[in-house]
Every structure is written in structure tokens, then in C-alpha cells.
Amino acid sequence: MPELMKGKRGLVMGVANDRSIAWGIAKAMADEGAELAFSHQGEAFGKRVEPLAESVGSSFLVDVDVNDDASLDAAFGRIAEEWGSLDFLVHAIAYSDKTELTGRFINTSRENFRNSLTISCYSLIEVARRARPLMPEGGTILTLTYQGSNRVTPFYNVMGVAKAALESTVRYLANDLGPEGIRVNAISPGPMKTLAGAAISGGRKTFRHTEMNAPLGRNATLDCIGGTAVYLASDMGACTTGEIVTVDGGYHVLGMPRFENI
Ligand SMILES: NC(=O)c1ccc[n+]([C@@H]2O[C@H](COP(=O)([O-])OP(=O)(O)OC[C@H]3O[C@@H](n4cnc5c(N)ncnc54)[C@H](O)[C@@H]3O)[C@@H](O)[C@H]2O)c1
């Protein structure tokens, strides 16, 4: 079996548990021979991430809150010290106050707007700036988005705006870093049953609706998302940057649901 990520080292940010999209990506990367470091948000998540990291042969954990510059500096400092370079980075981080992932969009507060966009979008710029000097021979940066960025999805609210900004950020970073051989792409999975997914009101209905109507009749899986991440981060994706790759059973091509489902 070919090991598409053999000899490549990557930092995976955003594993909270074994249902996290970042974990699906980490497993796929490890299966293809990558060496991994993990960032976790705080000690409680650290305890959950530790055994998962161990199961893919990694004991390289760093505690990062993307709102805390010092924790970002420390994490990238350690990578520079221990590895000297980085081949890929996975940014699977998003946050909005749960109370605004329900009800009407018009009630979005300034504080939660600022916080959601800072954590879910601006943090990609922060990590890209720190990863860049560690990628002198080029590298890959991946983030995660959702189609609520360009189509209204019930209760996705401010996260839709944050994901639209994130997708635009992917294009600007891709253009900025392309001449240095650093590729920046996003994967846009359909709804997944994760901690972040559970924060969105009516998440189960969105999951079921997508599954019922998607051309493939199925939702995304951690394995499918992981496989897409391997393609984008490996040399197979060497000519692809600034792209949003959708992994949703084809749901995004629909103009309206099947008649039998209306
Ligand atoms: N679940 C879905 O339906 C779905 C669909 C498409 C895209 N996504 C995106 O996938 C990404 C990963 O989410 P997930 O669904 O795997 O959920 P998850 O809850 O497993 O992961 C979210 C991660 O974000 C981290 N995070 C939040 N605030 C942070 C901060 N201030 N500093 C550092 N880390 C922070 C959490 O610790 C957690 O590990 C997110 O960007 C999410 O928007 C999710």
C-alpha cells in the first residue's frame, strides 16, 4: 500500500474527541505514514487527546487557545525546536456561543460576532503566519468550512458569516503564500455528529435532511473527509490551492429537495 504522506510532518489542531473531524483527518494522515503533533484546547481536552495521539504513535501535544498569542507562540516554538520544519497544518477550529446558534440571525450580538469570527476565521491567519517560516520548501494548510457560508442553513446564523469569511481567507492566503509553494485549501463536509455540530440547533434534522436528499443518499464520514485531506495535503494535490472541496454526498449541487421528500 502506498504511503502518500511518508516523510511528512504535520500539526493537527482541533481534536476534541474521537468524533472530531480533525481526528478523522489525523487517522488518515497517520495511515498514510505522516508523523503528527496535536494541539488541544486546555487540559481537559488534552486528557482526551493523549490516548488518541498515542494510538497513532504520537506523544507530541501542545496546549493552544487561539485567542492566546503566547500559547500559539509556544506551540510553534516547540515545533521549530523539535522538528525544525512542518509539512502540513490542519486547522479544524470553530466556535460560537451556543445561544446564538438558535433563534433569529438578526439578534446576533456584537460580542459573539467578534468572538466567532476571531476564533473561527482570524485564527487561520494567525496559524498560517506562524507555520510559514517552518515551511521553507513549501507545505500545505487545510481548514474546515461548511456550506452555510453561501447558502442559508437553519440556525447556522453567525457561523455562516464566519465560514464565508474563512473561505475568502483561504483564497487570499493561497494567493499570498502560493509563490512560496505553500498551498491553502478548505474541506467543506456535510453535517457531522461532533461536539461543535451538536451546538447548532436542529442539528439532527440537518443531518437527516442532508442524508435523505444527497445524490449519494449518505452523509460524509470521518474516513471520507480524511481521504480528501490526504489528497489535498499530499503530492497528489500539488497543483490545487485556494480550493473549497465539498464532501457531502453531493448535497450542495441541489437546487431543491427531491419531490418525494417535500
Ligand atoms: N460538525 C459539522 O457538522 C461540521 C461540518 C462542516 C465543517 N465543520 C467544521 O469542522 C471543524 C471541526 O469541528 P468538529 O465538527 O470536528 O467539532 P469538534 O467540537 O470536535 O472540534 C472543534 C474544535 O475547535 C476547538 N476550539 C474551539 N475554540 C477554540 C479556541 N479558542 N482555541 C483552540 N481551539 C478551539 C475545540 O477545542 C475543538 O477541538 C470546525 O471548523 C467546524 O466548523 C463541522
Side-chain angles (χ1 to χ4, degrees):
M1 175 139 172
E3 290 194 306
L4 294 171
M5 299 301 293
K6 202 173 161 74
K8 294 194 195 288
R9 287 168 155 170
L11 171 63
V12 178
M13 309 183 78
V15 178
N17 55 39
D18 63 357
R19 295 186 144 216
S20 292
I21 292 174
W23 175 241
I25 294 176
K27 259 197 325 185
M29 296 288 191
D31 283 350
E32 291 293 338
E35 192 179 342
L36 300 176
F38 291 86
S39 83
H40 57 87
Q41 181 192 11
E43 272 182 34
F45 281 130
K47 286 203 179 102
R48 290 200 210 152
V49 175
E50 209 177 282
L52 293 173
E54 239 169 57
S55 74
V56 292
S58 169
S59 56
F60 196 162
L61 265 63
V62 286
D63 189 344
V64 172
D65 183 325
V66 294
N67 274 334
D68 173 9
D69 282 348
S71 73
L72 281 166
D73 288 341
F76 283 89
R78 254 193 76 196
I79 291 170
E81 226 174 81
E82 295 195 23
W83 283 353
S85 66
L86 194 60
D87 298 292
F88 66 94
L89 182 141
V90 178
H91 170 276
I93 288 173
Y95 176 81
S96 166
D97 190 324
K98 203 178 153 159
T99 59
E100 295 197 12
L101 297 175
T102 188
R104 296 183 65 176
F105 174 67
I106 198 159
N107 294 327
T108 302
S109 67
R110 178 178 297 161
E111 198 196 337
N112 187 50
F113 185 95
R114 194 187 284 137
N115 208 20
S116 304
L117 270 90
T118 303
I119 296 175
S120 314
C121 171
Y122 183 68
S123 64
L124 179 66
I125 304 171
E126 286 281 4
V127 300
R129 192 164 50 243
R130 288 170 172 85
R132 180 180 161 241
L134 297 173
M135 297 178 166
E137 311 288 322
T140 315
I141 297 172
L142 287 177
T143 189
L144 274 301
T145 185
Y146 178 62
Q147 74 144 6
S149 60
N150 52 46
R151 304 277 161 104
V152 174
T153 307
F155 304 126
Y156 203 55
N157 294 355
V158 68
M159 277 311 302
V161 179
K163 292 304 192 192
L166 180 73
E167 290 174 16
S168 186
T169 299
V170 164
R171 291 185 282 272
Y172 275 89
L173 284 174
N175 181 60
D176 214 4
L177 302 179
E180 298 165 33
I182 300 174
R183 299 186 290 109
V184 186
N185 291 291
I187 300 175
S188 184
M192 299 291 290
K193 291 182 174 169
T194 64
L195 270 184
I200 302 154
S201 211
R204 268 207 213 145
K205 283 190 181 161
T206 307
F207 188 86
R208 184 85 194 101
H209 175 86
T210 308
E211 188 175 50
M212 267 170 66
N213 290 288
L216 293 176
R218 59 185 295 196
N219 271 304
T221 62
L222 289 181
D223 286 346
C224 285
I225 300 168
T228 304
V230 166
Y231 142 64
L232 286 170
S234 72
D235 296 341
M236 307 274 277
C239 294
T240 301
T241 195
E243 199 59 67
I244 315 293
V245 180
T246 312
V247 183
D248 67 348
Y251 181 82
H252 69 288
V253 306
L254 301 177
M256 64 185 294
R258 292 168 205 267
F259 282 155
E260 61 266 34
N261 292 339
I262 295 176

